[in-house]
Amino acid sequence: MRLKPFSSLYFIRENKARCILLMFMIFLGFGDYLGGLYVTNPLDNWECYLQYFDEVVSVNPAMTHEDLSDFVAFTEELEENDQVTVLRLGETEGFQWFTIMGFESGFASLTFCSVEDFHTYCEYFGIQCDFESLGNGSLILSEKLARNRGLEIGDKVNRDTNEAVYGDYTVTAFTQEDGYLQYYINEEAADKSHLLILGKGISGKELYDLVYELRDRHPVSIYEIREQITGQLETFDKIYLFVILLLSVILAVTINAAFIGMYQRRNFEFAVYRAIGMGKGAIVRKLLGEFLWMDILALVLGGGVVFMGLYLFNNLVLYPDGKYLRYFHPTALTGLVVCNVMVILPLIVTRCRQLLRADICEY
């Protein structure tokens, strides 16, 4: 196809080397996208567990009251309610997982007092597991957590290997869950005052409303897991905001400097356009076309490179160690968009102002 000189693509085709360099600089904005995936990864590790607890309610005795009569009355009323199933849990125990940031994160763990209770839990969430092999002292891990900690079927776990594991357990089965989850079965659990409340035909807000209404009469502690976890990880969001702004400013200054050098050479070209009667609107549209084509090409081709790199990095490096980076997160996309706008918008404004002032009389 023969392109006209006024076409936006004509300039890109005739100046491939320079335009590819500029598109590469725009592509560097994907650093914000990767940064977004990186800083949201610790919360991603919790997401499966948090999704479960958005559908059920976890209750502890009110720790400020030595008298547990309210908790006992609360439990009895719940167990008589045909809208819920109440599971008594043992004391929380477990071990942490390794994150891609190099530190260990907290554990998503439940201690069941019987295989039957664990089976009820798994049926509720559709979790697949080999229940035939389970018994008192069984430890069930998600496959991802098992890889992360290097544990296999038959391995022993106790206080000698992990300080927060109080009993003696044997890794007995794996689940296919998309998270770092661990379940203990301890029929002799000393503390069975933790409750896990599953709905029968109700879940989420409806289940929470039922439990909160009962709590008004019998004060107990409802474990707000999502609020607690997200609150602890807010610092990463603040760090990411700073990184977005810093990288965006650096790229905006660098890319604008590069475009100034290239577009200053085109003053005569645009002075000729003005001299032959090309209106300001047409000139702006031509410039917009050039910038947007380079931006779109950089984002599309760069996105392909980034996602292919993520795929290889996940499969060759992270997955074997029980770690992973998601391919998409709204926070990461927001970072990329903010960076791109902060780079492209000033570029369009400054170059348009420069070239609209080009005057043939100066040449």
Side-chain angles (χ1 to χ4, degrees):
M1 180 178 66
R2 190 177 182 83
L3 296 174
K4 298 179 180 179
F6 289 156
S7 167
S8 300
L9 287 174
Y10 179 83
F11 170 76
I12 296 174
R13 189 187 70 177
E14 295 300 314
N15 297 269
K16 294 185 184 71
R18 291 177 180 174
C19 289
I20 288 173
L21 177 61
L22 293 174
M23 285 189 285
F24 174 75
M25 297 176 72
I26 294 173
F27 158 75
L28 295 178
F30 272 99
D32 271 337
Y33 186 83
L34 294 174
L37 298 179
Y38 187 71
V39 300
T40 55
N41 181 260
L43 185 57
D44 282 343
N45 295 339
W46 283 97
E47 193 55 36
C48 180
Y49 190 66
L50 295 180
Q51 287 176 359
Y52 288 169
F53 276 81
D54 287 340
E55 301 300 320
V56 300
V57 181
S58 178
V59 174
N60 301 330
M63 302 309 294
T64 55
H65 300 285
E66 294 183 5
D67 180 10
L68 297 180
S69 58
D70 279 321
F71 180 77
V72 172
F74 174 87
T75 304
E76 290 175 349
E77 281 199 43
L78 268 181
E79 290 178 334
E80 293 173 0
N81 192 316
D82 59 6
Q83 289 184 288
V84 300
T85 297
V86 180
L87 302 179
R88 292 178 179 268
L89 302 178
E91 186 175 9
T92 301
E93 51 189 321
F95 48 85
Q96 298 179 317
W97 61 76
F98 300 110
T99 70
I100 62 172
M101 292 186 176
F103 62 83
E104 292 185 58
S105 186
F107 48 86
S109 168
L110 295 173
T111 302
F112 292 92
C113 301
S114 70
V115 175
E116 291 73 20
D117 284 354
F118 177 61
H119 189 274
T120 299
Y121 172 87
C122 290
E123 280 192 329
Y124 189 83
F125 289 111
I127 300 170
Q128 299 298 317
C129 181
D130 178 16
F131 298 102
E132 296 294 330
S133 60
L134 305 185
N136 187 33
S138 289
L139 169 57
I140 304 96
L141 304 174
S142 63
E143 287 191 347
K144 189 172 293 182
L145 178 58
R147 290 198 305 271
N148 185 276
R149 297 294 308 200
L151 292 171
E152 299 179 354
I153 298 295
D155 285 350
K156 304 295 183 181
V157 176
N158 51 42
R159 178 159 285 195
D160 292 335
T161 59
N162 297 278
E163 292 184 358
V165 177
Y166 308 122
D168 293 308
Y169 297 94
T170 301
V171 179
T172 309
F174 295 147
T175 67
Q176 300 293 322
E177 297 164 281
D178 185 23
Y180 300 118
L181 296 107
Q182 52 193 300
Y183 307 105
Y184 297 81
I185 298 178
N186 185 354
E187 296 176 0
E188 294 82 33
D191 178 10
K192 299 181 182 180
S193 59
H194 296 71
L195 305 180
L196 189 65
I197 304 168
L198 316 178
K200 294 180 180 178
I202 61 173
S203 63
K205 185 179 183 304
E206 192 175 0
L207 179 60
Y208 268 83
D209 289 343
L210 184 153
V211 175
Y212 272 96
E213 182 180 349
L214 182 56
R215 190 188 69 166
D216 291 338
R217 300 194 298 272
H218 307 293
V220 295
S221 297
I222 296 179
Y223 191 20
E224 302 287 356
I225 297 178
R226 184 173 287 276
E227 291 182 9
Q228 179 178 346
I229 299 302
T230 54
Q232 292 175 355
L233 298 175
E234 282 180 352
T235 304
F236 291 111
D237 293 333
K238 296 176 182 177
I239 294 173
Y240 180 53
L241 176 61
F242 173 76
V243 171
I244 287 177
L245 296 176
L246 179 62
L247 181 58
S248 298
V249 169
I250 293 174
L251 283 176
V253 172
T254 304
I255 293 175
N256 270 277
F259 270 86
I260 287 174
M262 185 169 71
Y263 274 77
Q264 276 182 339
R265 303 179 181 184
R266 303 181 66 193
N267 281 349
F268 179 73
E269 173 191 343
F270 281 86
V272 171
Y273 292 155
R274 295 287 308 281
I276 62 177
M278 193 174 184
K280 291 184 177 181
I283 291 176
V284 169
R285 287 193 295 274
K286 174 177 171 57
L287 289 171
L288 278 175
E290 291 176 4
F291 294 138
L292 293 179
W293 269 113
M294 281 189 279
D295 189 39
I296 291 170
L297 288 171
L299 293 178
V300 172
L301 297 176
V305 171
V306 167
F307 285 112
M308 179 58 69
L310 275 174
Y311 176 81
L312 294 174
F313 186 58
N314 271 326
N315 284 276
L316 299 179
V317 179
L318 296 183
Y319 287 165
D321 287 337
K323 302 173 186 176
Y324 66 97
L325 269 175
R326 295 195 186 278
Y327 294 96
F328 172 79
H329 194 285
T331 300
L333 180 61
T334 300
L336 176 62
V337 171
V338 169
C339 180
N340 192 251
V341 169
M342 289 183 66
V343 168
I344 294 298
L345 190 59
L347 183 62
I348 291 174
V349 173
T350 55
R351 291 316 101 220
C352 284
R353 291 182 61 185
Q354 170 199 339
L355 295 174
L356 285 174
R357 291 197 298 265
D359 189 347
I360 193 66
C361 297
E362 296 179 358
Y363 300 93

